[in-house]
Amino acid sequence: MTAVTNPAFGPLGSSSALSRSTLGGSPFPPIEEYGFLSDCEVCALVAPNGNVEWMCLPRMDGPSIFAAVLDRSAGIFRLSPMDLDVPVDQRYLPGTMILETTWVTSTGWVLVRDALLIGPWRYGASRSSHHWRVPTDHAAEHVLLRTVRCLSGTMDFLLECEPAFDYGRRLGSWSHLGEGYGDAEVTPGDDGPAVRLTTSLNLGFEGPRAIARRRLRAGEQVYCALSWGDAEPPQSFEEAHRRLTVTGDFWHEWISRGNFPDHPWRPFLQRSVLTLKGLIYSPTGALVAAATTSLPETPGGERNYDYRYSWLRDSTFMLWGLYTLGFDREANDFYYFLADLAEEEPDLQIMYGIGGERELTEYTLDHLSGYKGARPVRVGNAAWDQRQHDVWGVLLDSVYLHTSFRERLDERRWQMIRHQVDAALAHWREPDQGLWEVRGPAKHFTASKVLCWVALDRGAKLAELREAKDDAVRWRSAADVIHADVCERGVDERGVFCQHYETTALDASVLLIPLLGFLPPEDSRVRATVMAIADELTEEEFVLRYRVEETDDGFSGEEGTFTICSFWLVSALVQIGEVGRARSLCTKLLASASRLRLYAEEIDPHSGQHLGNFPQAFSHLALINAVMHLIQVDEVATREAASTSDSDGPHGL
């Protein structure tokens, strides 16, 4: 395949939609400026200027049709004022995944709303070919809807839709449908599936691009809908508005099921759990680590990975967060996705495709320039067949959490449980690649040993619940051996837990020691470790995974501070009693969210710029854990204050 250019019209990137620069003269918006849309089957990123710059079909990990976030010539879908790039405001409609953008010029005000539509369950006469989980009341409609309303005055508006199929390797060919100008389809030039564009505007074609221009006047309303597969797009603005309302109702109903504390940080919890819902591929229950591939952890660097897969390591925090906030169905679906895979093939992988795929071969897209020149652009993830010893611990902890919240053990899973606990017991003495999937030599990573202990500890507790006394005794004894080994070999002279047995380097993964119950928070080694990381493994208070100069991870260059690690530190500081410091750090982290309360994988502590794939599930999972730790402290303080007040007795006039 060749890079996408068209001799008649020039490079796609030369269009008016992409040629004007943003901050620092770069045509790429900052990562944190993107809005995130989802229908729980497909995701999209919307730039502030109205460009849809990332979208894959027919599911989250499919080939892209819009990928301007990775190369300005790899496909866009713009709907915005003709000569304006910066809106006056952008927000989500409260409690939804509907993005609202407000545009203001000297002549008028216009409101744009973007959503991936969700409607009533539509698989009745024929069954869905891709749903594993129990059918719900709703399903993705396979429509990206964009509505425009002119509030006052006039404004010249522009629609430009130029898909570039298969990660920008194939241009589309447009043709009108029906008798008018408002319905068209684009195909990738071969037997590939068509995508349909339906609108109340009049479409024309310029090579691979569909274009519509319209001067909007006060009170006018228009729409456009991109649809695929068996979707039925709306045929009028009235129908589009009704279906947008149904989508909003779905999100309102869903978020209202949650148990959110009455606290100033409640909006962050709500947006985080909405984001997690948007990152769950509902047909299987799988959680993708992020919506994107190859957004760089280092500006212009090579630390670029494909995160559109489901990692076992996310499972413990995912289940804890969803069960804690009352979203049992999503937690159960994710648990069953993992448990089914472990039962089908007992040898665990660190990650899976969202349809249960096991081979996730990595390759590079050399025709794409990458976000702000960061290359290579990768599809697939070479870490899928790495040896990581955390897998047994996170799976068994997930089983234990699931069992605890449901207050019963699923007997069907017992043989799977026994196999996975014994696998941890058989392999825990071996080196591995660690929680961070380093591509350097295998080591005896401390966090990996801790998670092997978790596997034996949770296995023993589950065996006790089942009254399998022999297994319980055997696994408890083995857990004690692992515990002693870690405490002997994983600690330096200061009593600080280190990255692996052959180093004194720090690693944020050992913050899991108190969070997973390996040692109690009052243990002197826990306090020493948490404080050492807080003081020595931070930049501007935000936590690094490790110092790259001390860790052979197989890559060159720096990386930003990891948002998940910083939130882990908040939780760990709360546990050791450093509540003031924890609250200060948490406040700073929440202030570093994007204006839509979203997080990428990393944050540059000096500029506040977000780095890495976006939005990142692990960041939002750790936020929920940290914020709930602090809210629980506040609730205890409130109850104690009320109790003290009551003990003073009634006060009359």
Side-chain angles (χ1 to χ4, degrees), residues 384-457:
W384 71 270
D385 61 351
Q386 276 190 358
R387 173 69 67 178
Q388 290 184 28
H389 293 167
D390 63 292
V391 291
W392 304 296
V394 293
L395 179 64
L396 267 297
D397 198 41
S398 298
V399 174
Y400 184 69
L401 279 169
H402 177 77
T403 301
S404 299
F405 278 95
R406 291 174 66 86
E407 297 181 346
R408 65 182 179 86
L409 177 63
D410 189 344
E411 288 290 335
R412 292 184 307 129
R413 308 293 183 182
W414 180 245
Q415 290 307 313
M416 179 271 287
I417 291 169
R418 294 187 79 250
H419 178 91
Q420 300 304 336
V421 178
D422 284 338
L425 181 56
H427 294 288
W428 76 269
R429 294 184 185 276
E430 302 167 5
D432 74 330
Q433 307 306 131
L435 191 70
W436 306 126
E437 298 160 16
V438 299
R439 300 191 182 186
K443 300 287 185 182
H444 292 279
F445 286 97
T446 303
S448 296
K449 308 294 186 188
V450 169
L451 279 156
C452 286
W453 171 86
V454 169
L456 274 297
D457 176 76

Side-chain angles (χ1 to χ4, degrees), residues 15 25 55 67 140 152 161 164 206 283 291 370 373 419 421 428 477 535 557 614 622 634:
S15 76
M55 186 172 168
S152 66
C161 185
E206 294 181 359
H419 178 91
V421 178
W428 76 269
S477 176
D535 295 336
F614 180 84
D634 290 343

Side-chain angles (χ1 to χ4, degrees), residues 7 24 75 79 88 100 176-177 190 273 300 308 310 312 315 318 352 382 404 438 471 483 487 503 527 558 563 652:
L79 185 66
V88 69
E100 181 182 84
H176 282 108
L177 300 173
D190 53 18
V273 81
R308 296 172 298 158
S310 196
L312 251 68
S315 58
M318 179 68 169
Y352 297 89
S404 299
V438 299
D471 284 331
H483 196 281
C487 291
T503 186
R527 181 175 184 82
E558 296 293 323
T563 309

Side-chain angles (χ1 to χ4, degrees), residues 29-33 290 292 294-301 303-305 307 371-372 374 544 558-564 592 598-616 619:
I31 290 171
E32 65 272 15
E33 290 297 311
T292 56
S294 301
L295 295 184
E297 298 175 12
T298 305
R303 296 175 183 270
N304 318 315
Y305 309 105
Y307 275 10
Y371 177 82
K372 294 188 178 181
L544 298 162
E558 296 293 323
E559 61 180 22
T561 59
F562 265 64
T563 309
I564 178 176
S592 298
L598 302 176
Y599 289 87
E601 183 178 26
E602 303 179 24
I603 298 173
D604 182 315
H606 306 291
S607 67
Q609 178 183 354
H610 288 219
L611 301 168
N613 285 306
F614 180 84
Q616 179 83 3
S619 298

Side-chain angles (χ1 to χ4, degrees), residues 93 280 322 365 389 408 416 466 468 512 580 584:
L93 296 186
I280 293 173
L322 291 179
L365 300 174
H389 293 167
R408 65 182 179 86
M416 179 271 287
R466 194 176 186 270
L512 294 174
S584 175

Side-chain angles (χ1 to χ4, degrees), residues 468-536:
K469 296 180 180 178
D470 290 344
D471 284 331
V473 170
R474 180 166 61 92
W475 292 340
R476 176 59 59 204
S477 176
D480 292 342
V481 172
I482 299 173
H483 196 281
D485 187 77
V486 172
C487 291
E488 177 185 354
R489 303 177 62 193
V491 182
D492 68 10
E493 294 179 353
R494 301 184 298 169
V496 171
F497 285 97
C498 302
Q499 182 182 68
H500 58 80
Y501 285 1
E502 294 82 31
T503 186
T504 58
L506 294 174
D507 190 304
S509 62
V510 298
L511 289 169
L512 294 174
I513 286 174
L515 302 184
L516 292 172
F518 181 81
L519 284 173
E522 57 271 16
D523 188 285
S524 61
R525 292 162 296 184
V526 169
R527 181 175 184 82
T529 300
V530 173
M531 298 308 291
I533 289 172
D535 295 336
E536 302 169 28

